[in-house]
Amino acid sequence: MRKYLLDSNIFIQAYRMHYPFDVVPSLWDKLIKLSDNGVILSIDKVKKELFSNNDELSRWCKSRLRNTFFVDTENCINKYIDITKWANSHPRYELRAKEEFLQADLADPWLVAYAMTEREHKNDCIIVTHEKSQPNTGKKIKIPEVCNQFKIKHTNLIEMFREIGETF
């Protein structure tokens, strides 16, 4: 079964900019349904990012998403190490970009590590993020570049809904 692995920016940008709770409640209801059906999930590092603020989004996540939505990444350490080796040896990225990307609790590399681990177990796991590929910049390591390097599929929220045939 194909699963979609959500980056924290999916929640944060939806809440702050595009789909606030009071204007587009159907999106948030659909996310709950997809979560309950096992179509979408996220990781413990995203949970930490989302729960770090005491705002309406954090409270919604705490009260509406099951604990099983956020999976543990402890078993992904070998893939995380592969990603760190790649990032540290990549000549295009500035030292500051590498340091930022490889902060221990930053979700981005762990999302890719989780998807890589799932692929080893023959599971199709697609990362859902609002980040756009910027292959010619050395100032920031973006999820799409890491996904491309390790042949992990990625998409955005709207394309995810199109792929699974859902509307909100």
Side-chain angles (χ1 to χ4, degrees):
M1 177 178 171
R2 174 177 281 178
K3 293 187 179 194
Y4 293 86
L5 186 62
L6 276 59
D7 186 9
S8 54
N9 68 22
I10 294 299
F11 295 96
I12 293 167
Q13 288 184 22
Y15 166 68
R16 291 184 183 164
M17 298 173 15
H18 305 293
Y19 311 107
F21 296 131
D22 62 330
V23 177
V24 192
S26 58
L27 167 74
W28 301 95
D29 292 341
K30 184 65 68 164
L31 290 175
I32 295 298
K33 176 187 167 205
L34 293 173
S35 171
D36 289 347
N37 292 337
V39 176
I40 63 171
L41 68 151
S42 196
I43 62 171
D44 50 3
K45 308 290 192 244
V46 167
K47 179 181 181 179
K48 187 172 184 177
E49 289 178 5
L50 293 174
F51 285 28
S52 67
N53 296 321
N54 189 21
D55 59 8
E56 187 178 17
L57 176 61
S58 173
R59 289 188 294 277
W60 182 88
C61 290
K62 288 174 185 175
S63 68
R64 301 294 308 272
L65 294 172
R66 297 179 187 186
N67 277 339
T68 56
F69 177 77
F70 297 103
V71 295
D72 185 22
T73 54
E74 190 174 302
N75 67 335
C76 305
I77 190 69
N78 291 335
K79 297 304 177 189
Y80 177 78
I81 290 169
D82 292 343
I83 293 167
T84 62
K85 287 178 183 176
W86 169 80
N88 281 320
S89 67
H90 204 294
R92 178 178 58 212
Y93 296 113
E94 296 174 6
L95 179 60
R96 189 168 139 217
K98 294 173 185 181
E99 289 171 346
E100 180 182 316
F101 181 73
L102 297 174
Q103 292 175 22
D105 282 338
L106 182 70
D108 294 4
W110 289 98
L111 286 163
V112 181
Y114 182 84
M116 291 167 65
T117 302
E118 285 295 297
R119 180 176 59 200
E120 280 190 344
H121 295 101
K122 308 291 189 237
N123 296 320
D124 192 14
C125 194
I126 299 171
I127 296 176
V128 183
T129 184
H130 286 303
E131 287 189 11
K132 304 274 189 219
S133 180
Q134 295 179 326
N136 297 323
T137 183
K139 296 188 183 297
K140 186 162 176 68
I141 300 175
K142 300 274 193 172
I143 290 174
E145 273 76 48
V146 185
C147 286
N148 292 340
Q149 172 63 31
F150 291 98
K151 298 177 178 38
I152 295 297
K153 297 174 192 170
H154 58 92
T155 192
N156 62 47
L157 184 66
I158 299 301
E159 289 305 313
M160 178 195 80
F161 276 107
R162 285 184 176 132
E163 287 175 18
I164 60 178
E166 292 279 351
T167 60
F168 59 87

